[in-house]
Every structure is written in C-alpha cells, then in structure tokens.
Amino acid sequence: MSVCMECGFIIYSEDKYCGGCGTVLPSVKQQAMATQQELTMEDVRFNLASVYFKMGKNEKAKEELDKVLADNPRDQQALNLLKQIKEK
Ligand SMILES: [Zn+2]
C-alpha cells in the first residue's frame, strides 16, 4: 500500500489508476522498488562474496561469508561457497 503522489489518496499495489484523482500509477517502478527492499543485507553480502570468489579474491570472499555466517550460522549457500573456497 502507498499514497498517490498527486493527491495523497491511498492506493494499493494492484491499482492501475488513483481512486482519488485518476492519475496513472507507476506500478512497474513500484514493483522494482519492492524487489529491492526484499533483498536482505545477508543476500547482498553473499552476492558480494560470490563476485569476489569469481574474481579469485578468496580472502575477500571469505570475509563477507564470515559476516553472513555470523548472523546466520546455518546459511546453506554461504556454507557451500565457503567449502568451495577451502577446497581451492
Ligand atoms: Zn491521486
């Protein structure tokens, strides 16, 4: 749920037009923003670790994975990547 930029009317994610003033709502943009908000800090760190790993910067990758695992010691994707780094 959000509010119309034009008139302040309450709008819902499935609405295509504002019920208050009839403005066409930027639904695609809103969905993109919602997706960004769902990315957790953990995901961001894991993605960063993956990038470091692909670049061969294993120490950096391990640092990021350690942070992920400090928050969530059972994070399976982080544990898997850490295992790959150790096997190298
Ligand atoms: Zn409006």
Side-chain angles (χ1 to χ4, degrees):
M1 196 185 82
S2 59
V3 171
C4 176
M5 297 291 281
E6 300 296 324
C7 69
F9 196 85
I10 293 172
I11 51 180
Y12 298 89
S13 54
E14 67 267 26
D15 289 349
K16 288 188 173 66
Y17 302 95
C18 172
C21 67
T23 297
V24 178
L25 301 169
S27 58
V28 173
K29 200 175 160 192
Q30 282 176 350
Q31 279 165 15
M33 282 167 71
T35 306
Q36 277 180 357
Q37 283 166 356
E38 282 163 19
L39 257 188
T40 63
M41 200 60 214
E42 206 171 275
D43 292 328
V44 173
R45 282 179 174 145
F46 177 78
N47 289 342
L48 194 56
S50 302
V51 171
Y52 281 138
F53 178 65
K54 282 173 194 155
M55 290 167 74
K57 297 185 175 180
N58 289 352
E59 279 307 307
K60 285 277 191 188
K62 199 174 161 299
E63 269 176 39
E64 294 304 321
L65 290 174
D66 284 344
K67 288 177 201 165
V68 173
L69 292 168
D71 289 340
N72 183 6
R74 306 182 73 158
D75 187 312
Q76 204 54 52
Q77 62 178 0
L79 288 170
N80 285 343
L81 186 56
L82 195 60
K83 195 163 159 255
Q84 285 185 58
I85 291 171
K86 284 176 178 169
E87 283 169 356
K88 262 203 164 182

